[in-house]
Amino acid sequence: MRSFYPFRPYIHAILPTIVLLIAPVFAVAQSTGSGPDAPSANANSALDRIDRARALAAVHQLQAAATELENVRVSTRDVALRNVATLMLLGIYLEDGNYGRSQSLLEEAFQTRAAQKDESIRTYFAAAGQTVNGIRSHIARYRSFGLNPSDGNLPPEANTDLDRVRGLLERVAAQANEISKEQGRSYDAVALLEDVLGLRLSLARSEDDRAKWQTELLMARERMASSQTQVASLGRSPALDAMTSRIPNPFAGPKTDSAGAQPTDSSATAAPNSSQPAINSSQPPTNGAQPAMNAAQPASTQTTTPAAEPQLISTGSLNGRETKRVTPNYPSSARTHNVTGTVRVFAIVDENGKIWITNSEGPMLLRQAAEDAAKAWTFAPPNVGGKPVRLAGYLDFEFKL
């Protein structure tokens, strides 16, 4: 949301998923050097096409970029190369408004998942995440031009476009719902479903339509709450964590390297996203905050073990979980310059129900107001299976004049 230049939003959306798949591509390129000339030439040709497509997309020659990537999909048998091309194509077709081809590629990934499992399921989640990110950027573009996507009085061209977006979202929701019935995939699929339903709710055509998707969203959240007890054993899909990987963990402090520095519990340093920068609010106390003299005691003399940190669960949107919400004040400077848009505030709700702001994205003049409002929200202490947990997610604040 920081920029609405053509294709730039998709570069940010593509990178998290492309990086997951690009390493095998270069491994192929290196390994084929010692093999037969034909396979090596084929891999190098495909890589050259991908590089050219990236350059064409950067200068907004989307049709030419799509042609190069479609040729890669047809000419190569390498799965990693095909996956990279597919993910890039999804971003390009969504940018170009070609929802039919976007849905076709998504359906292909969905059907392949049903046949091959494992690697292909990760590819599907990456493709679905790419689709959701692309649609979110598309909706943000409407707002950047002062248009409300849920306004029923938009020009026919806009309504037609948004109806196609709604149809694509509903198809992703149906796919996620089907995958959620598969053993071992429930949490990943329901997390995707919650994100998609929240986006579809923001595009409600009418009050009846809004009520329908609000009910669907609440049901998905109930299902996710019931499946969160399996998180520790299932793990999260890297594609689904593309968004929440930007949320720093305020409960993981730096390791002590000198006397007097605050030690950190080992379970906190191992928590997700601990490599992110520190949060912009005050640091909460951690379970590992023990007197410095304890660190100097021999291991054999220690008889107690610090209590384990509550589990950190990525939960997507936090909207609807609050016990009190506060509406942000519209900054006078933003009002003067007619700045509108949506600010997404990333946060963590601790085991006591207190919210910790980590970072935000959106129009710069609106961010501080959104963060200040988010700090005043309150939540019930979260727990799963009777055990306290921490929830990592985000709050969306829409500013319009």
Side-chain angles (χ1 to χ4, degrees), residues 163-235:
D163 278 340
R164 297 172 70 189
V165 170
R166 293 182 184 103
L168 183 55
L169 282 171
E170 289 169 18
R171 182 56 193 150
V172 178
Q175 292 172 347
N177 191 51
E178 184 171 336
I179 295 175
S180 70
K181 301 173 184 177
E182 299 176 3
Q183 185 176 6
R185 296 295 176 187
S186 176
Y187 184 83
D188 286 343
V190 176
L192 171 63
L193 180 62
E194 184 197 27
D195 206 21
V196 173
L197 292 176
L199 198 53
R200 177 60 182 85
L201 177 62
S202 70
L203 297 178
R205 300 183 184 90
S206 62
E207 288 303 318
D208 290 342
D209 194 43
R210 182 180 303 278
K212 172 187 174 181
W213 294 107
Q214 179 69 49
T215 301
E216 293 283 344
L217 179 59
L218 292 175
M219 291 174 61
R221 285 177 174 172
E222 289 178 2
R223 290 175 61 187
M224 188 162 70
S226 65
S227 64
Q228 281 174 343
T229 54
Q230 306 173 27
V231 172
S233 59
L234 292 179

Side-chain angles (χ1 to χ4, degrees), residues 250-304:
F251 304 98
K255 293 183 179 180
T256 179
D257 54 4
S258 62
Q262 188 177 25
T264 303
D265 184 22
S266 60
S267 64
T269 59
N273 310 325
S274 60
S275 61
Q276 299 291 338
I279 62 173
N280 54 20
S281 59
S282 59
Q283 193 82 352
T286 67
N287 292 348
Q290 302 292 336
M293 65 181 66
N294 290 349
Q297 295 178 354
S300 59
T301 63
Q302 295 181 356
T303 58
T304 60

